[in-house]
Amino acid sequence: MSEERRDTGKGITVHRLGQLESTIMERMWSRSESASVRDILVDLQREREIAYMTVKTVMDTLRRKGLLTREPDGRAFRYRPTQTREQYTAAHMGEVLAGGSDRKATLLHFLDQIPAEDLAELREVLNRAAGPEVETAP
């Protein structure tokens, strides 16, 4: 598990996730409701051998990192993500952008790599975010 993290400058701290942390977060994001350690354990055991305490420890670590929240459920807890997969991904993208020495060059290299349909979606989102265009007087 990696403890490396970075503040995006917008009050969001992005934690780099280890492989098992990422796997558990993917499972959590794919659920519409909260999940217990046992729920995630059973899901993971369909693909590999893993101990209950391993899953519990990682989920507690994700809670300490601020990626999961938990609520009591009898003698156990139910966990849920604190942000959507998309919010986490956007914060991670912001972290990567902030890590470059030349933001403009980084963005241009990024745009060179994305497919045309994604570029069209990006253009549409940027236009929407800019709001209605203001007409200028002649």
Side-chain angles (χ1 to χ4, degrees):
M1 287 177 281
S2 175
E3 290 299 319
E4 196 169 337
R5 59 190 158 149
R6 170 180 238 155
D7 188 328
T8 63
K10 295 191 177 207
I12 300 169
T13 300
V14 178
H15 294 272
R16 293 181 196 255
L17 301 178
Q19 185 176 9
L20 185 54
E21 290 174 324
S22 293
T23 300
I24 289 174
M25 286 306 300
E26 287 300 325
R27 296 303 202 291
M28 293 299 298
W29 283 320
S30 70
R31 294 174 169 272
S32 58
E33 297 186 9
S34 62
S36 67
V37 171
R38 178 116 4 239
D39 294 334
I40 300 301
L41 174 70
V42 168
D43 195 17
L44 292 172
Q45 285 179 332
R46 290 185 186 122
E47 298 171 11
R48 66 203 242 187
E49 267 189 54
I50 190 164
Y52 178 90
M53 285 306 294
T54 301
V55 176
K56 182 182 183 317
T57 299
V58 172
M59 290 178 74
D60 283 339
T61 299
L62 290 166
R63 183 185 62 82
R64 280 194 311 277
K65 288 182 174 185
L67 294 167
L68 294 178
T69 187
R70 71 180 186 188
E71 57 196 39
D73 183 27
R75 291 179 31 190
F77 292 97
R78 296 197 66 77
Y79 295 79
R80 74 176 62 250
T82 58
Q83 56 189 338
T84 65
R85 176 187 289 119
E86 293 75 19
Q87 289 169 321
Y88 176 81
T89 301
H92 187 68
M93 290 169 67
E95 172 191 349
V96 171
L97 181 60
S101 60
D102 183 342
R103 292 175 79 103
K104 192 174 199 176
T106 302
L107 282 170
L108 288 171
H109 288 296
F110 172 71
L111 293 174
D112 284 343
Q113 296 177 29
I114 64 174
E117 55 273 5
D118 289 345
L119 191 56
E121 278 187 53
L122 178 59
R123 193 172 283 119
E124 182 181 320
V125 169
L126 288 171
N127 287 339
R128 205 173 324 131
E133 289 190 30
V134 179
E135 290 187 35
T136 57

